[in-house]
Amino acid sequence: MDHSGLLAALIIMLFVFSVGAVPQLGGGLCAHLIQSAGFPCTEHRTKTEDGYLLGLQRVSSRSTIVRGEMGLPVLLIHGLFMAGDAWFMNSASQSLGFILADQGFDVWVGNVRGTRWSHGHVSLSVKNKEFWDWSWQELALYDLAEMIRYVNTITKEKLFVVGHSQGTIMSLAAFTKPDIVEMVKAAALLCPISYLDHITTGFVRRLVKMRVDEIILALGFHQLNFKSNIGTQIMDMMCDGHIHCDIWLSAITGKNCCFNDSRIDFYLEYEPHPSSSKNLHHLFQMIRKGSFAMYDYGMWRNLMRYSQPKPPVFDISQIPTSLSLWMGYGGNDELADVIDVQHTLKELKSKPDLLYIEEYGHIDFLLSIKAKADVYDGMIRFFNSVQKVSSFK
């Protein structure tokens, strides 16, 4: 069996036996990763319209001089099976969350429902299947919407949004809603995704063909938890030196050129975070249908929920041209494939500022040891230019 076939078999085992509570790390994200690096950090909590309790962290510069002249707020939105810690996995000079704070931005870190930093609900237990009854659709229209509202309310400012991977799906969907996008000044999207039908990763294609998402739901499993007992054992099996973890990662995301694979053990102390089976099913629907649409419940349930037989699409042509966009994507990214990125660009009415790096893969935009020079400096120049133009209006 090839690597992708073996990985697919292990993943099926993981999903079928993925039970048990999510391990909680003592203290919050501030105490775990941010304050220990010398950055002031405060924990915040807010509630979505459908009752989920979300944790956010507010991070500022190590310099008292820079803190005294704090700039506009920027909200960081992570990808699938990740949480806000993903922005702080490398050193202070390499991690976007730290870099933005030291550049004087008012950094806010978002964590979507179900992750270890946002693992609560006003009435539902994580053991209830109803707790996991959501996909990226709810993450966009409830979680991201509430995070943006919360930051806007606290700071009294329009904010910048930075998303990676699933964070870009959420952002593009949310920005089609006028009441959400009016609170956003500009957005930077890393590995932007609205369409997924041209992904080239053989592993994910295999899972889609095997209809693993439908099997999981049919078996009654609602939470995808790599940190369950069996999940931990499988992760250890995958990364125990027989086949290097970088190979497994490449099988899923495409080849990554520039992250420090000697830090994988450290990354795995925090990643991956839980998600829902329904979320995976929604993503696989996108691959099969080639659409950027709401969750497909089937014709009759669609009629009841949406008053139409097919789920409504997220029409990204409705994103206003007044919203400044910056996008970075890579030639080795097998999830945010170049053809799909071009499809996204074609649908948009605006013309985003673009950064294309041929050798970059999906994870490089987050964890590359060269990302500051390759990616983040340009993103910060973009934010500063937007702020400068706004100040003259």
Side-chain angles (χ1 to χ4, degrees):
M1 183 181 291
D2 63 19
H3 292 156
S4 65
L6 177 57
L7 184 54
L10 291 171
I11 292 296
I12 292 171
M13 289 171 56
L14 167 62
F15 289 167
V16 171
F17 295 105
S18 175
V19 294
V22 175
Q24 296 298 303
L25 298 171
L29 175 53
C30 284
H32 265 273
L33 274 177
I34 300 171
Q35 291 168 336
S36 60
F39 289 77
C41 181
T42 54
E43 298 281 351
H44 293 252
R45 200 182 201 193
T46 190
K47 182 182 71 174
T48 66
E49 288 186 15
D50 56 347
Y52 287 85
L53 304 176
L54 306 180
L56 296 97
Q57 293 77 35
R58 190 180 195 180
V59 187
S60 53
S61 173
R62 292 173 291 186
S63 166
T64 55
I65 296 174
V66 174
R67 286 203 302 274
E69 300 179 358
M70 188 177 291
L72 287 178
V74 53
L75 174 65
L76 305 178
I77 304 297
H78 59 82
L80 178 65
F81 297 126
M82 293 183 173
D85 42 56
W87 304 103
F88 303 94
M89 287 284 100
N90 285 334
S91 70
S93 63
Q94 295 170 332
S95 300
L96 181 60
F98 292 134
I99 292 168
L100 287 169
D102 265 347
Q103 287 288 321
F105 291 92
D106 181 7
V107 177
W108 291 79
V109 185
N111 305 272
V112 304
R113 63 184 68 184
T115 60
R116 286 189 292 283
W117 315 115
S118 291
H119 212 70
H121 190 277
V122 294
S123 61
L124 297 174
S125 164
V126 296
K127 296 180 181 179
N128 298 136
K129 67 178 183 179
E130 292 81 9
F131 181 94
W132 300 98
D133 186 18
W134 48 264
S135 75
W136 61 260
Q137 176 177 321
E138 285 74 26
L139 302 185
L141 301 182
Y142 291 102
D143 291 28
L144 181 54
E146 177 55 33
M147 292 175 193
I148 290 172
R149 290 189 188 101
Y150 183 84
V151 174
N152 177 254
T153 299
I154 296 295
T155 64
K156 312 299 182 188
E157 298 275 7
K158 286 189 174 185
L159 54 144
F160 297 129
V161 171
V162 178
H164 174 251
S165 191
Q166 179 183 259
T168 71
I169 300 175
M170 293 163 55
S171 297
L172 290 167
F175 295 160
T176 66
K177 306 301 178 182
D179 61 321
I180 300 175
V181 75
E182 69 181 3
M183 294 179 282
V184 180
K185 182 176 288 291
L189 306 179
L190 301 171
C191 311
I193 298 170
S194 63
Y195 297 95
L196 278 170
D197 48 316
H198 287 90
I199 65 168
T200 52
T201 163
F203 164 65
V204 176
R205 286 285 183 188
R206 186 184 293 262
L207 292 183
V208 172
K209 184 177 181 180
M210 296 170 66
R211 297 196 172 265
V212 168
D213 53 323
E214 296 174 1
I215 294 171
I216 296 165
L217 289 171
L219 290 171
F221 295 98
H222 304 282
Q223 176 191 166
L224 305 182
N225 179 10
F226 288 82
K227 294 293 188 181
S228 64
N229 290 336
I230 186 67
T232 300
Q233 292 172 18
I234 290 174
M235 292 294 289
D236 289 344
M237 186 191 314
M238 290 161 57
C239 301
D240 68 355
H242 295 297
I243 300 176
H244 200 281
C245 231
D246 185 31
I247 296 175
W248 296 118
L249 188 61
S250 297
I252 298 170
T253 68
K255 183 175 175 56
N256 297 284
C257 70
C258 305
F259 80 96
N260 184 355
D261 58 12
S262 69
R263 290 179 62 85
I264 282 180
D265 286 345
F266 175 73
Y267 301 152
L268 290 177
E269 290 181 23
Y270 293 91
E271 319 297 340
H273 288 253
S275 191
S276 72
S277 303
K278 185 176 180 179
N279 192 25
L280 185 76
H281 186 41
H282 195 174
L283 292 166
F284 282 15
Q285 286 180 352
M286 296 168 66
I287 296 171
R288 294 185 183 111
K289 298 173 184 292
S291 63
F292 187 44
M294 294 186 177
Y295 187 87
D296 190 348
Y297 290 92
M299 184 178 70
W300 295 112
R301 292 180 67 191
N302 287 341
L303 284 169
M304 289 187 289
R305 284 180 173 265
Y306 307 129
S307 299
Q308 59 186 62
K310 293 184 178 181
V313 300
F314 287 102
D315 182 2
I316 58 177
S317 71
Q318 296 301 309
I319 297 175
T321 56
S322 57
L323 178 70
S324 298
L325 294 173
W326 180 98
M327 294 183 177
Y329 62 110
N332 280 329
D333 191 337
E334 295 187 4
L335 293 175
D337 184 79
V338 171
I339 294 175
D340 288 329
V341 173
Q342 293 299 323
H343 189 176
T344 300
L345 293 171
K346 184 178 179 180
E347 296 287 322
L348 288 166
K349 287 185 177 177
S350 62
K351 295 195 178 299
D353 288 9
L354 299 176
L355 171 69
Y356 174 73
I357 305 178
E358 177 65 37
E359 68 272 22
Y360 263 41
H362 199 73
I363 302 300
D364 287 316
F365 285 90
L366 191 66
L367 295 179
S368 168
I369 59 176
K370 304 191 303 174
K372 182 181 184 298
D374 290 346
V375 182
Y376 304 152
D377 286 349
M379 178 195 299
I380 290 169
R381 285 194 297 271
F382 164 75
F383 284 150
N384 287 335
S385 69
V386 170
Q387 172 61 13
K388 185 176 181 180
V389 170
S390 299
S391 66
F392 283 105
K393 289 184 178 179

